Amino acid sequence: GTSLTNIHPLLSSYVNYAQPVHFGGFDKAEEKNIHHNMSSFSESMALAYLKNQAVDFVNYNKRQMSRIYPKGARVDSSNYMPQIFWNAGCHMVALNYQTPDLPMQLNCGKFEYNGNCGYLIKPDFMRLADKQFDPFSESAVDGIVAKEISVKVIAGQFLSDKKVGTYVEVDLYGLPTDTIRKEFRTGVIPGNALNPQYCDDAFTFRKVVLPDLAVLRFGVFDEGGGFLGQRILPLDGLQNGYHHISLRTEGNFPISLAMLFCCITNKVYVPDGLGDMLDALSDPRAFMNAQEKRDQQMKAMGIDTSDTAGIQLKGGAAKKPGKPGEKGKDEKAEAEPFMTFDPITIDFVQAQKTFQKANKKEQKAVDTMKKKHKKERESMQKKHCTTIEKAAKGKSNVEDDPAIQKIVTDQMKSWTELMTRHRREDWTMMKDQIKNQEELIKEHFKLELENQVKALEGDFERRNKEMKAAQAKAAVELVKEINADKSLKSKQEKDRRIKEKQQANTKNVIMERKQVGIKQGKAKEKLKKTHDKQLANLGQEITMAIQYYETATEELNQRERMEFYC
């Protein structure tokens, strides 16, 4: 008792910032509304609350503190992934520091960002009472702009003191919808860990819904999968441009000299189909109609045009203002649209002669089966007719004859069994062929994509030739026009005029070719995106085709309806 009374009051005031209490539910905690009450959750309990009451958990963490600790079953001192609890705003996510695994690396990397002080402020939407946030949301969070992150791994330096092949993995951890693991990795550079150069395309994380909570992880491994180094970088504050990223050990200690050279691009995510809108917002003047442009030009000269509104002009009605990007009747007609292509499907590929030639053997098997089935059907029909004719011979009332009715019933049953077997054999063969043809279909699918690209490029080449021919023709006509101008007396004066006109014409030619090049580039990029989407959906189409035949076979097996030929 005496030792307690001797504690200095100032020191005593620093002891308890939070009062540990038993957790009785989010509703009870909200009812009490005591901000210094803190509860602890095992990882299993916390996951259960996250799974069923995620938004309530976030709101609880806005008001008071929570602590997460590893479950007792982790006798090997392994760690759970802390990111899922950070996403819910949990304040103290306790880990086993003696185990330098990936969760521990994420923890060290995240809190390293604030100078290793041990504290990070949560984003506004995880602190303000008037904000709602679901840590499992897949749509944009209110007030937060989604980002598109691109990472190009260019080279490494001093990755290992051994002569081994190396590769780099780039992962993203954040909200469940943002987390991308084991998807992006460079190719292996054999026998060079000193200064490998990676020639892979940039890794693009297309849409990061909540960049404030996301981190990038760089992992470097040898060709056998052995760990060489890692680094965790929070997206918050990560600048665009080239970076030398120093690597850390599994325990997050600096590795002398080891680093990666990367180019990181962090830009606003633009959904497909909204590129034109972004261009309009970036450069609104380029999307004005002719009247608006003239109005702006006159205002720039100090001319007030406000009293011209509503005046009826003789020789034609005053034009109504058009929408941004619309051309007036007096402007140049729209250029010929670029080529468009129908979507490439499995049926389209299978109908191509090149595919049928490569698939001749399997097509022959299909034709053989069809001939066999046709022969069996004709044989059974002939046999049935003969049987009925014999049974009906000499009988007047055939329809009510029990013997003939039994024959017809048996014939319907045998015909149904035959047709069921034929359909089952047909669908089984088609399903097996699609499985066997999957690689062949993909190969010819890519070939058709290449043919479309070649066709588009051929269209570009034709347009460019026509444009250059028209430009050359215009230049020749310009010279003829000036030479025929009788107001120009001397050759020197004509030469000066030609030179003057040609300079202006050259500028227009360059501008026109530049604009055409930009449009063609966009058209080609659009086709590439379409191809990427079609190629990504091809596997799904194949799976759906296989499932169709399996479902049809299953329904056929369950069907009890009798059928007969007419």
Side-chain angles (χ1 to χ4, degrees), residues 457-473:
E457 289 176 344
D459 183 48
F460 291 164
E461 187 176 352
R462 175 186 63 80
R463 291 166 181 266
N464 292 337
K465 285 182 179 179
E466 291 176 355
M467 179 182 63
K468 290 176 182 178
Q471 291 170 347
K473 182 180 179 181

mmCIF file of all heavy atoms in Angstrom, residues 457-473:
data_model
loop_
_atom_site.group_PDB
_atom_site.id
_atom_site.type_symbol
_atom_site.label_atom_id
_atom_site.label_comp_id
_atom_site.label_asym_id
_atom_site.label_seq_id
_atom_site.Cartn_x
_atom_site.Cartn_y
_atom_site.Cartn_z
ATOM 1 N N GLU A 457 -5.008 -2.388 -89.674
ATOM 2 C CA GLU A 457 -3.783 -1.707 -90.095
ATOM 3 C C GLU A 457 -3.792 -1.468 -91.605
ATOM 4 O O GLU A 457 -3.310 -0.438 -92.083
ATOM 5 C CB GLU A 457 -2.557 -2.522 -89.688
ATOM 6 C CG GLU A 457 -2.320 -2.515 -88.177
ATOM 7 C CD GLU A 457 -1.165 -3.413 -87.768
ATOM 8 O OE1 GLU A 457 -0.754 -4.262 -88.614
ATOM 9 O OE2 GLU A 457 -0.683 -3.282 -86.634
ATOM 10 N N GLY A 458 -4.338 -2.429 -92.372
ATOM 11 C CA GLY A 458 -4.474 -2.232 -93.814
ATOM 12 C C GLY A 458 -5.401 -1.069 -94.131
ATOM 13 O O GLY A 458 -5.151 -0.287 -95.060
ATOM 14 N N ASP A 459 -6.476 -0.955 -93.331
ATOM 15 C CA ASP A 459 -7.395 0.164 -93.504
ATOM 16 C C ASP A 459 -6.686 1.486 -93.194
ATOM 17 O O ASP A 459 -6.865 2.479 -93.898
ATOM 18 C CB ASP A 459 -8.603 -0.026 -92.583
ATOM 19 C CG ASP A 459 -9.654 1.064 -92.768
ATOM 20 O OD1 ASP A 459 -10.002 1.354 -93.919
ATOM 21 O OD2 ASP A 459 -10.113 1.622 -91.756
ATOM 22 N N PHE A 460 -5.869 1.474 -92.125
ATOM 23 C CA PHE A 460 -5.083 2.670 -91.791
ATOM 24 C C PHE A 460 -4.160 3.046 -92.948
ATOM 25 O O PHE A 460 -4.053 4.223 -93.323
ATOM 26 C CB PHE A 460 -4.243 2.425 -90.536
ATOM 27 C CG PHE A 460 -5.043 2.302 -89.272
ATOM 28 C CD1 PHE A 460 -4.478 1.756 -88.118
ATOM 29 C CD2 PHE A 460 -6.363 2.706 -89.219
ATOM 30 C CE1 PHE A 460 -5.201 1.642 -86.955
ATOM 31 C CE2 PHE A 460 -7.113 2.594 -88.051
ATOM 32 C CZ PHE A 460 -6.522 2.048 -86.918
ATOM 33 N N GLU A 461 -3.475 2.041 -93.501
ATOM 34 C CA GLU A 461 -2.521 2.293 -94.584
ATOM 35 C C GLU A 461 -3.243 2.882 -95.808
ATOM 36 O O GLU A 461 -2.744 3.820 -96.449
ATOM 37 C CB GLU A 461 -1.813 0.993 -94.956
ATOM 38 C CG GLU A 461 -0.689 1.171 -95.949
ATOM 39 C CD GLU A 461 0.061 -0.127 -96.216
ATOM 40 O OE1 GLU A 461 -0.211 -1.124 -95.517
ATOM 41 O OE2 GLU A 461 0.912 -0.132 -97.127
ATOM 42 N N ARG A 462 -4.421 2.322 -96.135
ATOM 43 C CA ARG A 462 -5.182 2.848 -97.269
ATOM 44 C C ARG A 462 -5.588 4.301 -97.027
ATOM 45 O O ARG A 462 -5.445 5.166 -97.909
ATOM 46 C CB ARG A 462 -6.440 1.988 -97.474
ATOM 47 C CG ARG A 462 -7.372 2.512 -98.562
ATOM 48 C CD ARG A 462 -8.662 1.708 -98.604
ATOM 49 N NE ARG A 462 -9.433 1.815 -97.387
ATOM 50 C CZ ARG A 462 -10.222 2.850 -97.095
ATOM 51 N NH1 ARG A 462 -10.319 3.878 -97.938
ATOM 52 N NH2 ARG A 462 -10.910 2.856 -95.974
ATOM 53 N N ARG A 463 -6.066 4.584 -95.835
ATOM 54 C CA ARG A 463 -6.478 5.945 -95.503
ATOM 55 C C ARG A 463 -5.297 6.910 -95.567
ATOM 56 O O ARG A 463 -5.423 8.031 -96.071
ATOM 57 C CB ARG A 463 -7.078 5.982 -94.096
ATOM 58 C CG ARG A 463 -8.419 5.284 -93.951
ATOM 59 C CD ARG A 463 -8.740 5.085 -92.473
ATOM 60 N NE ARG A 463 -10.005 4.393 -92.280
ATOM 61 C CZ ARG A 463 -11.167 4.989 -92.089
ATOM 62 N NH1 ARG A 463 -11.246 6.302 -92.103
ATOM 63 N NH2 ARG A 463 -12.271 4.292 -91.905
ATOM 64 N N ASN A 464 -4.155 6.442 -95.048
ATOM 65 C CA ASN A 464 -2.979 7.318 -95.056
ATOM 66 C C ASN A 464 -2.519 7.614 -96.485
ATOM 67 O O ASN A 464 -2.121 8.747 -96.793
ATOM 68 C CB ASN A 464 -1.836 6.681 -94.251
ATOM 69 C CG ASN A 464 -2.154 6.615 -92.766
ATOM 70 O OD1 ASN A 464 -2.977 7.378 -92.275
ATOM 71 N ND2 ASN A 464 -1.502 5.700 -92.056
ATOM 72 N N LYS A 465 -2.573 6.590 -97.347
ATOM 73 C CA LYS A 465 -2.194 6.803 -98.758
ATOM 74 C C LYS A 465 -3.151 7.801 -99.421
ATOM 75 O O LYS A 465 -2.718 8.698 -100.143
ATOM 76 C CB LYS A 465 -2.207 5.466 -99.510
ATOM 77 C CG LYS A 465 -1.029 4.563 -99.191
ATOM 78 C CD LYS A 465 -1.105 3.281 -100.007
ATOM 79 C CE LYS A 465 0.093 2.378 -99.715
ATOM 80 N NZ LYS A 465 0.022 1.101 -100.482
ATOM 81 N N GLU A 466 -4.458 7.611 -99.150
ATOM 82 C CA GLU A 466 -5.441 8.518 -99.729
ATOM 83 C C GLU A 466 -5.248 9.946 -99.210
ATOM 84 O O GLU A 466 -5.354 10.922 -99.959
ATOM 85 C CB GLU A 466 -6.851 8.035 -99.408
ATOM 86 C CG GLU A 466 -7.230 6.736 -100.118
ATOM 87 C CD GLU A 466 -8.596 6.229 -99.699
ATOM 88 O OE1 GLU A 466 -9.193 6.845 -98.778
ATOM 89 O OE2 GLU A 466 -9.078 5.217 -100.270
ATOM 90 N N MET A 467 -4.951 10.056 -97.901
ATOM 91 C CA MET A 467 -4.749 11.380 -97.325
ATOM 92 C C MET A 467 -3.516 12.047 -97.924
ATOM 93 O O MET A 467 -3.542 13.226 -98.292
ATOM 94 C CB MET A 467 -4.596 11.262 -95.799
ATOM 95 C CG MET A 467 -4.343 12.584 -95.091
ATOM 96 S SD MET A 467 -4.127 12.381 -93.304
ATOM 97 C CE MET A 467 -2.645 11.374 -93.274
ATOM 98 N N LYS A 468 -2.419 11.287 -98.059
ATOM 99 C CA LYS A 468 -1.189 11.852 -98.632
ATOM 100 C C LYS A 468 -1.392 12.237 -100.096
ATOM 101 O O LYS A 468 -0.889 13.269 -100.548
ATOM 102 C CB LYS A 468 -0.051 10.845 -98.485
ATOM 103 C CG LYS A 468 0.406 10.646 -97.046
ATOM 104 C CD LYS A 468 1.473 9.570 -96.933
ATOM 105 C CE LYS A 468 1.885 9.343 -95.477
ATOM 106 N NZ LYS A 468 2.893 8.263 -95.353
ATOM 107 N N ALA A 469 -2.139 11.389 -100.834
ATOM 108 C CA ALA A 469 -2.412 11.706 -102.243
ATOM 109 C C ALA A 469 -3.245 12.981 -102.356
ATOM 110 O O ALA A 469 -2.987 13.841 -103.206
ATOM 111 C CB ALA A 469 -3.130 10.538 -102.911
ATOM 112 N N ALA A 470 -4.246 13.110 -101.463
ATOM 113 C CA ALA A 470 -5.082 14.314 -101.480
ATOM 114 C C ALA A 470 -4.265 15.548 -101.116
ATOM 115 O O ALA A 470 -4.437 16.626 -101.703
ATOM 116 C CB ALA A 470 -6.251 14.139 -100.514
ATOM 117 N N GLN A 471 -3.364 15.377 -100.126
ATOM 118 C CA GLN A 471 -2.522 16.502 -99.727
ATOM 119 C C GLN A 471 -1.564 16.898 -100.852
ATOM 120 O O GLN A 471 -1.344 18.098 -101.108
ATOM 121 C CB GLN A 471 -1.749 16.150 -98.448
ATOM 122 C CG GLN A 471 -2.649 16.048 -97.217
ATOM 123 C CD GLN A 471 -1.922 15.458 -96.022
ATOM 124 O OE1 GLN A 471 -0.836 14.901 -96.153
ATOM 125 N NE2 GLN A 471 -2.534 15.581 -94.846
ATOM 126 N N ALA A 472 -0.991 15.893 -101.541
ATOM 127 C CA ALA A 472 -0.087 16.182 -102.662
ATOM 128 C C ALA A 472 -0.848 16.860 -103.804
ATOM 129 O O ALA A 472 -0.343 17.809 -104.426
ATOM 130 C CB ALA A 472 0.560 14.883 -103.141
ATOM 131 N N LYS A 473 -2.059 16.379 -104.058
ATOM 132 C CA LYS A 473 -2.875 16.975 -105.113
ATOM 133 C C LYS A 473 -3.203 18.437 -104.781
ATOM 134 O O LYS A 473 -3.167 19.327 -105.645
ATOM 135 C CB LYS A 473 -4.160 16.161 -105.285
ATOM 136 C CG LYS A 473 -5.066 16.663 -106.404
ATOM 137 C CD LYS A 473 -6.304 15.791 -106.507
ATOM 138 C CE LYS A 473 -7.228 16.314 -107.617
ATOM 139 N NZ LYS A 473 -8.472 15.486 -107.715
#
